[in-house]
Amino acid sequence: MSSRLRVLHAIRSDGFAGVERHVAVLARAQTQQGHAVVVIGGGADQMRPALAGSPVTWMPGQTVPKVLQGLIRAGGGADVVHAHMTAAECAAAAASYCPTRGTPLVVTRHFAGPRGSSRLGGLAAKLIVRRSDAQIAISGYVADRVEGASTVIFPGVASADLPSAEREPVVLIAQRLEAEKDTATAIEAFARSELAARGWRLRIAGDGSLRPALERQAAELGIAQSTEFLGMRTDVSELMGAAGLMLAPCAVEGLGLGVLEAMSVGLPVVASRSGGHLETLPQPAHRFCFRPGDAASAAAALRQLAADPEARGALAQQGRQRQREIFVPAAQAERTEAVYRSVIERTGA
């Protein structure tokens, strides 16, 4: 049996979106393998419940100084510091000069692009590269678009039971309502599909700065009566269990935890043919993927699947099987541990 590791995860955050969920799932899985884990960062109201029932220790990290403070307090005796996103990577790199000196630093790249668009960001990127010992990417798509070599480790999600109730004629969107998520294309696709005339509804779970504009768009397209803006929800898994289809329009999704969660409950997904979606979805689902921004193609895929319950059932089964074979927290934790131990051995920490 492998020796127990003490792991510090750092994320500069006071929210709870995809990266925070990623950290929470990985931290829980690592404790199930016997490791001692501390998570610094993430919104308290959501991170604490996400870690409830596990021995993970949580500390606030809403600012870079708070992350650094957490690393100073918890860094003694750590075997590895694992940082997520640039702000926390900066804090961890700075901490490596004193409180976590000699402790290996592993970083995970969640987004497909190089660090440091500004002069200050460029200086920070150089510091992170100099002080980090290994880099993980959440998908091949991300690994191909970030600087430096990466080990690709897919995130995992908990496998869920199939819903017992019959699915509703609902197309679900679950994401932040910000520009990079391209919810506007999804709304246009639902309008073009003309599924509203056949009794289908569009449900949008999530919130963001574009919500007023998207509500106006739905009204202008004549689907306001068939569209529900649900805001931020804590019951997204239940919404996925009740929906008939999921629409994932984002063209720059590093991987897409929402798509994985949909697969876990047997919800067929119509996704953009970009980002990490083609690495996530089963091969038969690729023919229903659409070019980013192409609302007409997305509408055609929705129409075809809405009219074919057997095809939806086949995609649901294939998605669940693929999620259970590849995208599970235990496998993510095992591969991450292998990176940790390789770095520890190489650095002599």
Side-chain angles (χ1 to χ4, degrees), residues 84-213:
H84 305 261
M85 297 197 294
T86 302
E89 292 169 352
C90 285
S96 71
Y97 283 99
C98 187
T100 63
R101 186 178 181 86
T103 304
L105 172 59
V106 175
V107 301
T108 287
R109 306 298 295 274
H110 295 266
F111 304 110
R115 302 182 187 95
S117 56
S118 65
R119 182 181 178 186
L120 182 60
L123 293 174
K126 290 179 181 178
L127 171 65
I128 294 164
V129 170
R130 185 165 63 248
R131 302 302 291 180
S132 61
D133 298 290
Q135 179 166 271
I136 294 169
I138 64 169
S139 66
Y141 174 79
V142 170
D144 290 343
R145 289 163 177 79
V146 298
E147 68 280 21
S150 301
T151 299
V152 175
I153 300 179
F154 291 132
V157 297
S159 300
D161 295 329
L162 278 174
S164 56
E166 185 175 349
R167 290 188 177 275
E168 302 171 15
V170 166
V171 175
L172 178 67
I173 301 170
Q175 59 187 29
R176 291 180 292 108
L177 304 186
E178 302 296 344
E180 70 274 10
K181 294 294 186 177
D182 198 15
T183 309
T185 291
I187 292 174
E188 183 182 350
F190 181 77
R192 284 175 174 248
S193 73
E194 300 181 339
L195 292 183
R198 295 164 53 184
W200 283 70
R201 298 188 63 79
L202 178 65
R203 287 182 180 156
I204 303 173
D207 216 336
S209 63
L210 294 185
R211 178 169 175 171

Side-chain angles (χ1 to χ4, degrees), residues 28-349:
R28 291 182 68 101
Q30 289 173 327
T31 61
Q32 290 169 359
Q33 294 184 340
H35 304 304
V37 182
V38 176
V39 170
I40 302 168
D45 291 344
Q46 295 156 303
M47 185 62 85
R48 278 179 169 150
L51 298 173
S54 77
V56 177
T57 299
W58 177 82
M59 301 172 67
Q62 63 268 39
T63 64
V64 171
K66 279 287 187 182
V67 174
L68 188 55
Q69 181 181 23
L71 289 168
I72 292 170
R73 288 177 56 194
D79 293 296
V80 64
V81 174
H82 191 158
H84 305 261
M85 297 197 294
T86 302
E89 292 169 352
C90 285
S96 71
Y97 283 99
C98 187
T100 63
R101 186 178 181 86
T103 304
L105 172 59
V106 175
V107 301
T108 287
R109 306 298 295 274
H110 295 266
F111 304 110
R115 302 182 187 95
S117 56
S118 65
R119 182 181 178 186
L120 182 60
L123 293 174
K126 290 179 181 178
L127 171 65
I128 294 164
V129 170
R130 185 165 63 248
R131 302 302 291 180
S132 61
D133 298 290
Q135 179 166 271
I136 294 169
I138 64 169
S139 66
Y141 174 79
V142 170
D144 290 343
R145 289 163 177 79
V146 298
E147 68 280 21
S150 301
T151 299
V152 175
I153 300 179
F154 291 132
V157 297
S159 300
D161 295 329
L162 278 174
S164 56
E166 185 175 349
R167 290 188 177 275
E168 302 171 15
V170 166
V171 175
L172 178 67
I173 301 170
Q175 59 187 29
R176 291 180 292 108
L177 304 186
E178 302 296 344
E180 70 274 10
K181 294 294 186 177
D182 198 15
T183 309
T185 291
I187 292 174
E188 183 182 350
F190 181 77
R192 284 175 174 248
S193 73
E194 300 181 339
L195 292 183
R198 295 164 53 184
W200 283 70
R201 298 188 63 79
L202 178 65
R203 287 182 180 156
I204 303 173
D207 216 336
S209 63
L210 294 185
R211 178 169 175 171
L214 295 170
E215 289 176 335
R216 289 194 298 271
Q217 180 191 14
E220 291 166 0
L221 292 172
I223 57 169
Q225 296 302 313
S226 301
T227 303
E228 301 172 59
F229 285 84
L230 305 177
M232 295 298 297
R233 298 289 289 254
T234 59
D235 61 344
V236 173
S237 59
E238 288 80 4
L239 294 172
M240 289 180 174
L245 289 168
M246 181 172 174
L247 190 50
C250 181
V252 293
E253 200 72 77
L255 188 76
L257 281 180
V259 171
L260 287 181
E261 290 165 350
M263 290 163 58
S264 77
V265 298
L267 175 60
V269 180
V270 174
S272 68
R273 186 180 290 275
S274 187
H277 291 150
L278 298 184
E279 296 176 68
T280 308
L281 291 166
Q283 184 66 39
H286 291 186
R287 70 189 184 98
F288 297 104
C289 292
F290 57 93
R291 293 184 302 278
D294 189 345
S297 294
L302 290 175
R303 277 195 304 272
Q304 183 176 350
L305 285 171
D308 193 342
E310 290 187 5
R312 297 201 304 274
L315 289 179
Q317 181 178 0
Q318 292 154 0
R320 292 183 73 237
Q321 181 178 350
R322 180 167 172 80
Q323 182 269 314
R324 282 157 173 73
E325 289 176 351
I326 300 173
F327 303 99
V328 291
Q332 179 188 6
E334 288 170 4
R335 294 201 63 201
T336 302
E337 180 183 343
V339 171
Y340 293 168
R341 294 196 182 278
S342 174
V343 169
I344 290 169
E345 181 179 357
R346 186 174 73 246
T347 61

